Amino acid sequence: MATSTVEDYIKQIYLEQIDSIDGFVTMGRVAISLGVVPGTATTMVKSLADSELVNYEPRVGVRLTEAGEELAIQMLRRHRLIELFLVETLGLDWSEIHEEAEKLEHAISDRVLEQMDTLLGHPKVDPHGDPIPSESGNLSNELLMNLGNCILNQPLNIARITDQSSEFLQFVNKSGLMPGVELTVLKRESAADAITLHLSNGMSLVVGTLAGEKILVE
Amino acid sequence: MATSTVEDYIKQIYLEQIDSIDGFVTMGRVAISLGVVPGTATTMVKSLADSELVNYEPRVGVRLTEAGEELAIQMLRRHRLIELFLVETLGLDWSEIHEEAEKLEHAISDRVLEQMDTLLGHPKVDPHGDPIPSESGNLSNELLMNLGNCILNQPLNIARITDQSSEFLQFVNKSGLMPGVELTVLKRESAADAITLHLSNGMSLVVGTLAGEKILVE
DNA sequence: ATATAAAGTTTGATTATTCAAAATACCTGT
DNA sequence: ACAGGTATTTTGAATAATCAAACTTTATAT
């Protein structure tokens, strides 16, 4: 059985792999996303390679194997279902659930997980708008526009928030930019690094490009 | 912070301490209840003593300190609240929740725990009838009779099942001996090592003394 | 009182995970 | 082509938890 550390590495590598160009994740990225020093990442990745969960090319990077990807998607399903459960059933705030789910995803049995899934009515997205993989591992991955590249002056719906840090989610909450909210992008000024928005509730606000790119719309 | 292993040792020592004569738990008991070899128990207990969670007397045994007892009661609260939550909210069967709670009690935050407590209406007993310590650590510990020492021919209510093994709970389930059920003890034959019961649903059955002593009534 | 058994402790090793710091490889710009 | 810089890997050491097996105490039984 995979230890909780192994599960963390695999999930994180999967997430990094998604937005990598060549499908390889560098040791530097692995180290940063797991909060360890580079040497630790190298050591650990080599041991993941021994367990056939990743392919490791020295001085190039890692890539998940079939088995690794399966495990990663399973962890993602756990994580997101738990997040939704914490919000829906236990009434926690969506900006405080990430860390919580991070711990619980290693402790909950399949039995309990499927019970949660049933109770929630087999949901498709978590509170951040991230898709929940199905039990068989399917992940609907239509690609969404973000506030930095979507059409201007057109009503759009917020679908997903891709930064799960508590700080960012609290900002999102305060500004009323939760998934489901309707908005229009009025203008983008690259020199000012700013995006001007108009919310359906009448509020207008300006966000930086970096922040805007973390908010996906459809 | 206490590791999950430390939490397990402390909880188990607490449980053993309750039914010990002199308040000391031997290394043998510690080893058995944690499923490790005796040498491991000795080593670990010495390290618990370093953290001031127990007092350890070589060749005599361990006893929890104030701090240790506090931690133990907190773990018991977690364990029992989680068990009840799994049954009430997730609809799991009470005979299959012990292992589950054993894992979750280390992973759940105080925040989530108190939310569960609120949702369940600050319950006083878990699905096995075991008392749930209050947030401040109070544990109602009235002493109950069991089927091996209670009055005969007197209607009584099952209050608590003290063996949490899946095997025993399934037997309890099948025989209709769950907490809350009313019964009468008809006779006890020490030679036959048998206790004859009559349930309020009309069923009669015979259990061994050892099994009967695991069923508490009031 | 002494041999034996039972319980507890010690010692030496192992596994998983991590870090610090030294060593190595790979680029990149001139 | 080479000097520097950056990324990566290696090495050596640490911590937490465990086991097997040798050893020591303590209690028991004749």
Side-chain angles (χ1 to χ4, degrees), chain B residues 18-175:
Chain B
I18 285 172
D19 34 45
S20 82
I21 332 104
D22 58 355
F24 274 102
V25 182
T26 65
M27 286 308 110
R29 292 217 144 281
V30 173
I32 288 168
S33 69
L34 282 141
V36 296
V37 300
T40 303
T42 303
T43 312
M44 196 61 202
V45 161
K46 285 204 282 190
S47 116
L48 294 176
D50 287 344
S51 331
E52 319 250 67
L53 289 167
V54 302
N55 289 130
Y56 165 57
E57 303 220 357
R59 305 218 118 91
V60 179
V62 240
R63 199 208 301 255
L64 295 181
T65 60
E66 281 283 304
E69 195 158 310
E70 202 177 294
L71 177 56
I73 290 174
Q74 206 192 292
M75 292 317 292
L76 230 50
R77 172 173 163 80
R78 291 172 159 268
H79 184 89
R80 293 177 179 168
L81 261 178
I82 290 167
E83 284 196 335
L84 190 63
F85 182 81
L86 291 174
V87 170
E88 291 292 309
T89 310
L90 286 175
L92 297 209
D93 194 278
W94 76 310
S95 64
E96 57 180 0
I97 54 178
H98 188 69
E99 279 52 53
E100 195 76 49
E102 206 68 27
K103 270 206 107 180
L104 285 173
E105 65 193 14
H106 308 296
I108 271 183
S109 72
D110 285 338
R111 182 81 184 73
V112 169
L113 196 77
E114 297 322 319
Q115 206 62 30
M116 280 165 58
D117 186 42
T118 305
L119 211 77
L120 294 166
H122 309 288
K124 293 207 185 47
V125 292
D126 80 359
H128 308 109
D130 296 326
I132 299 174
S134 70
E135 206 187 334
S136 55
N138 285 80
L139 208 155
S140 76
N141 215 357
E142 355 121 49
L143 48 127
L144 300 167
M145 302 280 102
N146 62 56
L147 295 185
N149 64 14
C150 63
I151 331 161
L152 297 182
N153 300 308
Q154 172 89 37
L156 297 162
N157 279 95
I158 297 181
R160 198 168 157 189
I161 308 297
T162 62
D163 180 343
Q164 241 94 107
S165 76
S166 193
E167 193 200 354
F168 190 70
L169 293 176
Q170 250 141 42
F171 151 70
V172 164
N173 243 353
K174 214 180 303 177
S175 326

Side-chain angles (χ1 to χ4, degrees), chain A residues 93-97 161 163-178:
Chain A
D93 195 278
W94 75 311
S95 63
E96 57 180 0
I97 54 178
I161 308 296
D163 180 344
Q164 241 94 111
S165 75
S166 191
E167 193 200 354
F168 190 69
L169 293 177
Q170 252 142 41
F171 151 71
V172 163
N173 244 352
K174 213 181 307 179
S175 325
L177 296 170
M178 294 84 73

Side-chain angles (χ1 to χ4, degrees), chain A residues 26-28 42 46 56 58-59:
Chain A
T26 65
M27 287 307 110
T42 303
K46 284 204 282 191
Y56 166 58
R59 305 219 116 92

Side-chain angles (χ1 to χ4, degrees), chain A residues 72-145:
Chain A
I73 290 174
Q74 206 192 292
M75 292 317 292
L76 230 51
R77 172 172 162 80
R78 291 173 157 269
H79 183 89
R80 292 177 181 169
L81 261 179
I82 290 167
E83 284 196 335
L84 190 63
F85 183 81
L86 291 174
V87 169
E88 292 291 309
T89 310
L90 285 174
L92 297 208
D93 195 278
W94 75 311
S95 63
E96 57 180 0
I97 54 178
H98 188 70
E99 278 55 50
E100 195 77 48
E102 206 68 29
K103 271 206 107 181
L104 286 173
E105 66 193 14
H106 307 297
I108 272 182
S109 72
D110 285 338
R111 181 81 184 71
V112 169
L113 196 77
E114 298 322 320
Q115 206 61 30
M116 281 165 62
D117 185 42
T118 305
L119 210 79
L120 294 166
H122 309 289
K124 294 209 185 47
V125 291
D126 80 0
H128 307 109
D130 296 328
I132 299 174
S134 71
E135 206 187 332
S136 55
N138 285 81
L139 208 156
S140 76
N141 215 356
E142 355 121 47
L143 49 125
L144 300 167
M145 303 278 103

